Each structure stands twice: as structure tokens, then as C-alpha cells.
Amino acid sequence: MTERTGPGGTAGTSKDSEGGAEPTGGEQSSAQRGGAADEQHAASGGTAPEPSEVELAGLGDQAVEGGTRPAPAGRERRGMFGVHGTGDTSGFGGLRLPAHAPAPAERPFGGWFDEVADDLVAALDERGTRGAIQQVTIDRGEITFYIAAERILEVCRTLRDDPSLRYELCSAVSAVDYGVDVPQRLHVVYHLLSMTYRRRIRLEVALDWAGGAENPHLPSVVEVYPTADWHERETWDMFGIVFDGHPALTRILMPDDWDGHPQRKDYPLGGIPVEYKGAEIPPPDERRAYS
Amino acid sequence: MSTPPETDAYAPERETTEGTVYTVTGGDWDTITDGEHDERIVINMGPQHPSTHGVLRLVLELEGETVTQARSVIGYLHTGIEKNCEYRTWTQGVTFVTRADYLAPLFNEAAYVKGVEKLLGVEVPERAQIIRVMLMEVNRIGSHLVCLATGGMELGALTGMTAGFREREEVLHLLEYLTGLRMNHAYFRPGGLAQDLPVDWKEKIDEFLAVFHSRLGDYDRLLTGQPIWKQRLQGVGYLPIDGCLALGATGPILRSAGLAWDQRKVEPYWGYDQYDFEVPTETGADCYSRYLVRLHEIHESLKIIKQAAERLEPGPVMVEDRKIAWPAQLSIGSDGMGNTLEHVRKIMGQSMESLIHHFKLVTEGFHVPAGQVYTCVESPRGELGVHLVSDGGTRPVRVHMREPSFVNLQTMPAMSEGGMVADVIAAVASIDPVMGGVDR
């Protein structure tokens, strides 16, 4: 294991490592990534958002502190029918679809979204947590806060304890792998529920990890939400994300001595070809894909 | 017994990396205990054990008969449902998720199709919504009956087991008649239902309701007031409301602690706000309260089924959008279930475009706009959520199921530690974990 220097703490699993020193160069690398994502977005046909649009309207200091990158999610898609190079006579081989990047929401968010965003920013300021929220996205009636990895524990504690927020229940912690060619391919997703106000929000953490032998790290939220214990174990098991501060981060679904993390996109599904009426059907992950 | 262990053929000891392992038979106990921990043993229960509700493994540390630590070990039924969904179309995903929690397959489908429909931005026709609600409630009854039956069996109430499974058979017969399969129906599809109900569905529902109204009183007579049943369950597996919230427990566990939290009421979907039903709660926060909550929920489900059957009007069961709706209606032929003859005649003999459309929709699937959603339904075990991520293609990027069995099973140590070993069984039975859902 080589030493890791990105945000989210060092390779150690001790809990005080993420609370202490600010990782050097974190802000700079964040700005670079934002630029790269914008360029990629523009090159692939989309319109690059103006800096003022990207900036979270009304979130003030929080937004400036946390950087203004759009969180990249999704991979570019080329062609159809899973055929590359020669052999595609369909004409769809020239198809180019840009990678999906969730658009930052603009004020007013509508409904209770403005209220919860304001309350969260105020509560975080009150507790001295700066630069936690990177982006707010509203899609299909659901609000997503993109949170800096090293701040997730404080944000969760604020969401649970602040009287204006009261997210008592952590419904689920999970992760998404957006594909090997996406710069921040692994996202950890938290679904929180406020039973007091009957509101659901999603927290999403885009990890600065683009593959490699070493696993990404972020703080565990078990001390705030004990229910996250098994969720985080499952996320470690399936995605290889290390939750620093988890009481016993071991595999939970796969056997203890298993190699690899099955839900990563570069982990094969497995399967054998099946012969049916003389024709050989390839295993599912080698069949033609249409997207 | 005075025979030293090393010379006793029936109680040999061997050294392992975990320490010395003894095989103890009969009355050999005092030959291996030491003075300090003379009562302390760690026992492994499961994964193949009739009282652990499937392939659940419990590791219990005991002082005498008191449980000092309890841990559950899961993963024996992991089948990679979530990963498999990423290699199938959105429609095919239904056939995978339905196999997660095998006692409540329709709820798995419901949460999944609700998510896909939210991603697509479509609303299913009212008839499909009512049929979904009706079948889910039938399924809820079946699931609760298995909980009562297996829970009763594990506690020695064998008549409860036979009665519960007898009634559940009625549920399965009904579901088989209405959907075509007893379990793993794959009946809900993104956009509606796989097919409409058979013509005489109403008579079957009425028969079902009559049977249940006549038999549900048996459970009160057999179990509710029975002294042994109450002694085994009352004050056992206690988990108050703050413990439930911290550990994420939902469903009957949460409602047995007094919080009337039910997704059907707090975030109504598919017209649940138009049905007249109660959310039963208890305040005991113990196994007996959970038993009562489940029993009352069966009665409430019967009310919903009756109202749904009365409200059901003829109409489409699939959205109009031909880009999503399956082009064919299914029918029973001489060689089993398949496309209707009219449809086959049309695509093979009359319309090349229909054939192309059918082929593309079946092999390629439909495109789902990029984005992510989290949707949940109230399954018999609590909040069943599905997190879906699409990149705009015909296959999901990620399907994650927030299984209530998985989350609720975390409460087992809190319910069991400090109690008697026999009460662990009662606590696990009251959690009602289904290992297909826990391990997925």
C-alpha cells in the first residue's frame, strides 16, 4: 500500500487523521478537476456552464469554500450495438453521446428544498464546518447534496442533531461505480430521512479515485448513524471503499478471503456460454450491449 | 467424568489457529472448563439450523444460559442480484429483484418499477395501480403468515406453524391464479403489469376474503391469549423507539415501539391515500407487540383488498407509450404462455415495422433518461427502498436495494444480549429476516 495524499485522509484507519490537518493541495486539485470536467463536457457537445451558473446561488460562503465543480457522473457513450472498429454496418457507430453530469440547481429550488438548504448551510456555519457542500442538484423531485469526502461525518452529525433538520434515520448507505473511464468514478450515496418533517434527502460523495490498487478512503458515519454499520461493510465489500473509523470494517456478503470487490465495473460478472439448439449463447457480460 | 480428554475417544481436543477446540459429548463438560470462565462458551448456531430463519448464522457467547454477546453472520445466500441487473435491460431487472426477498416478491418488484417509472417520468394507469395495491396486500398477508408460522414453529407452537402455512397456501393459490406464478411473479413491469387479471378474478378474491375472515380468528384463539405464547414473547427482544431509529429498524419493529410510521400513509403511492385502513401500533416494543402488529396488519390488508376489488374498473394495465409498453399481450397456448396469436400473426404476416419494433424493444429495451432516484414502498418488513442510477442507456448503472431484512437484522444483538439463549430465537423470529433479502 502506498501512501495516499488526496482529500479524505491518509491510508491510516485511525479516526483522528481526517479531522486534523487539512490535506495540502486539496483545493488546487479540486479546481483542476473542475476545469477538466468542464472541458470534457464542452468537447463532447454540451454547453459548459458559466461559473456564475455553477456557483450555488444563495449558498454564499459555503459554495465558494467548497469549490464549484460539477460532479461528474456517467460515462460518454459511443455508437450502439456494442460493436467498435470495423463490423458496424448500422450507421449508429458514429453516434456520440456526452457524459451525463447532473446540473447544479438554481434558486429558487422550490418546495421545501430552499428551506432545507438554507437550514443546512446555517447549521453548518454555526458549527464551524466550512466548505462541505460542493453542489446541490434537484432532479425528479429529489434533492442531492454533493459533500466533500472529509466533511461527511460533520454534515451527517449536523443533519441528525440540528432541530431544524432532524434527519433521524439513515435509510441506506451505498455506492455507485460510474465506470472505469470516469475521473471520479466512485460515489458514496447516503439516503437520509427526517421523520419529524417527512423529508428525504440524498448526500453524495464523489471520491477522488480513478482506479489503482489502493482503495479510496472516507470517514465512517457509524458513530452518528449506528445503522450505517452493515451498510458501510457492504459498501467496502462490494466497492472497496474504506470507511475510516468504522468499528469493524470486514466483508459481509462475500467470504472473508475473497479477492476483489464485485460491484466495481471492472470486476467481471462471470458466467459461461450456454449452447441452445445448436447456437452458443455467450455469458451475459459478453453479449451485445445497446447502450 | 474423570477420564482425561486426551485419552477419551469421544472428547478429543485439537489445536487450531483459533485456540483449542474440544469435542464434548454427554457429561464431559467439567473436564474442559476452567475456574475463571467456567460457564463461558461460544456457540455457533447455523447457518443450517431450523430455528434461524434460513441460512443465518448466529455466533453467541454464553455465560451459562445468558447471552453476553451475539453476532450474526450473513452472506450465505448472496446471489449478486444487484450486479446482475447491470447486465440486463430495465424490464429484465424485474425478474432479478423479485428473487431478493422471496416471501414478498411483489414488493421487490413494486419498489423497483416505482423507481424506473420515476426515472422515466411516467404514471401508470389507474387499473394497474389498483391491481398492484391489491396484489401487494395479498402478498403482505402471505408474508406475515410465514412469519407467524415459522416463528411459532421455532418457539414450539407447531399448530401455529401448520395453521399459518395452510393459510399461506391460500395466498399462493390466489397469486398463482392471478399472476401465473406462486412466487417470483415478475408481474409488475415498468409502466404497468405484464398482463391483465383473468376474467374471473373477482370470484377468486371474494372466496379468498371469505376464507380469511372465517379463519383469522383462529390465531387469536390459538396464540394471542395463550399463556405459554405470551410468556415466551412478552418482555423478550425489547427494542424501544430510540434504538429502532439508531439501528434503522422500520416496519413492524418500529410500529411495535409505538411510532406509526408506514410508507403507505406518510408517503402514499399508487392511491394508498384513498383507502380506508389503520396503521396498527403497540407500545410494548417486544416480540409479543410485533406479533400483535403483524396480526392486525393482516386484518387491515384484508380491508384494503376488499376496497381495491370494489374500485377496480376496466381499463388499460400498461402505459400508452409504445416506446415502453410491451407490444404483445400474453396468452396461454398449447405450448405454454406466450405472445397472443393475433400479435404473432400481425408481426409475422402483416407489419414489418411491428416486427422491428417488437424485436428492438425485447432485445434492446427502452432508454431511460440519465439520473438517479430513490423510491421506497412499505414491505411487510419495513421500508424497502431502491436506488436506481441510469446513464441514459437501456441498462441500469446501479441498482441498490435497501432491504429492510438486512437493516433490521442489525437489531438482533440489541434485542438478545443480556437475555436467555432461548429468547434469541424469539427475537430473531420477531425480526422476521428473509435471507434472500438480507444477502441479495
Side-chain angles (χ1 to χ4, degrees), chain A residues 15-172:
Chain A
K15 213 190 70 53
D16 48 1
S17 66
E18 83 265 3
E22 188 72 27
T24 51
E27 196 61 49
Q28 189 193 357
S29 62
S30 141
Q32 283 166 352
R33 267 189 317 278
D38 281 351
E39 274 167 33
Q40 192 187 4
H41 192 57
S44 51
T47 53
E50 294 294 316
S52 59
E53 286 176 23
V54 177
E55 193 169 313
L56 306 175
L59 285 184
D61 293 345
Q62 285 286 345
V64 178
E65 279 254 302
T68 55
R69 57 183 168 176
R75 59 189 171 81
E76 279 184 75
R77 297 196 288 131
R78 290 202 177 82
M80 282 181 81
F81 308 121
V83 180
H84 298 287
T86 58
D88 181 12
T89 56
S90 68
F92 281 104
L95 196 69
R96 294 279 184 280
L97 292 173
H100 169 70
E106 287 182 34
R107 294 277 187 170
F109 297 154
W112 51 267
F113 294 145
D114 292 285
E115 194 185 329
V116 78
D118 291 341
D119 288 342
L120 177 58
V121 170
L124 286 174
D125 278 344
E126 199 178 298
R127 286 154 197 262
T129 305
R130 315 286 294 174
I133 304 174
Q134 295 170 333
Q135 182 182 317
V136 180
T137 293
I138 294 169
D139 183 25
R140 295 174 172 92
E142 297 180 10
I143 189 165
T144 307
F145 292 97
Y146 288 84
I147 306 292
E150 63 275 14
R151 297 274 178 264
I152 186 66
L153 180 61
E154 294 131 76
V155 171
C156 281
R157 192 187 301 283
T158 307
L159 283 166
R160 187 194 65 177
D161 291 346
D162 193 86
S164 62
L165 298 165
R166 288 202 194 279
Y167 283 84
E168 303 99 343
L169 188 79
C170 176
S171 278

Side-chain angles (χ1 to χ4, degrees), chain A residues 142 171 174-175 204 265, chain B residues 83 118 372 383 397-398 402:
Chain A
E142 297 180 10
S171 278
S174 179
E204 190 159 341
K265 290 287 184 188
Chain B
K83 176 93 173 170
K118 194 169 181 186
Q372 58 181 335
E383 174 185 327
V397 170
R398 173 86 169 116
R402 187 262 187 215

Side-chain angles (χ1 to χ4, degrees), chain B residues 186-345:
Chain B
Y187 185 65
F188 299 170
R189 292 259 173 96
L193 303 172
Q195 56 181 326
D196 207 340
L197 295 177
V199 282
D200 56 345
W201 62 271
K202 188 78 168 70
E203 291 86 76
K204 295 284 177 184
I205 293 277
D206 289 341
E207 283 171 29
F208 174 81
L209 290 174
V211 166
F212 268 78
H213 282 305
S214 71
R215 288 193 192 163
L216 269 184
D218 290 355
Y219 290 90
D220 285 327
R221 284 190 284 276
L222 186 64
L223 296 173
T224 306
Q226 192 207 98
I228 301 172
W229 184 250
K230 285 167 87 167
Q231 279 174 10
R232 284 302 305 273
L233 296 183
Q234 274 178 337
V236 168
Y238 179 72
L239 190 71
I241 198 163
D242 48 351
C244 288
L245 290 185
L247 293 169
T250 48
I253 300 176
L254 185 59
R255 290 193 284 273
S256 78
L259 183 60
W261 185 266
D262 188 318
Q263 293 299 325
R264 296 176 291 175
K265 286 285 189 194
V266 296
E267 293 174 277
Y269 47 96
W270 299 339
Y272 262 119
D273 46 348
Q274 297 161 37
Y275 296 93
D276 173 31
F277 68 102
E278 304 290 324
V279 177
T281 55
E282 293 288 329
T283 51
D286 57 3
C287 296
Y288 188 67
S289 298
R290 280 164 220 140
Y291 159 75
L292 289 179
V293 165
R294 290 199 174 94
L295 195 58
H296 289 157
E297 280 184 16
I298 295 179
H299 289 276
E300 297 302 320
S301 291
L302 289 177
K303 278 163 68 178
I304 299 175
I305 295 167
K306 185 163 179 288
Q307 294 170 52
E310 284 163 1
R311 289 181 49 193
L312 199 56
E313 301 282 342
V317 295
M318 198 68 183
V319 290
E320 291 289 320
D321 190 349
R322 306 311 293 178
K323 293 280 185 193
I324 297 169
W326 219 245
Q329 288 297 315
L330 295 176
S331 74
I332 307 282
S334 57
D335 55 347
M337 189 182 282
N339 296 328
T340 52
L341 278 178
E342 299 88 86
H343 181 71
V344 174
R345 200 173 293 127

Side-chain angles (χ1 to χ4, degrees), chain B residues 10 27 70 89-90 99 167 171 173 186 225 250 253 267 300 355 363 372 384 387-388 393 405 427 439:
Chain B
Y10 296 99
T89 67
W90 290 93
R99 283 158 169 79
E167 261 75 88
V171 170
H173 280 315
T250 48
I253 300 176
E267 293 174 277
E300 297 302 320
L355 177 64
T363 58
Q372 58 181 335
L384 172 62
H387 177 221
L388 297 175
S405 296
D439 296 338

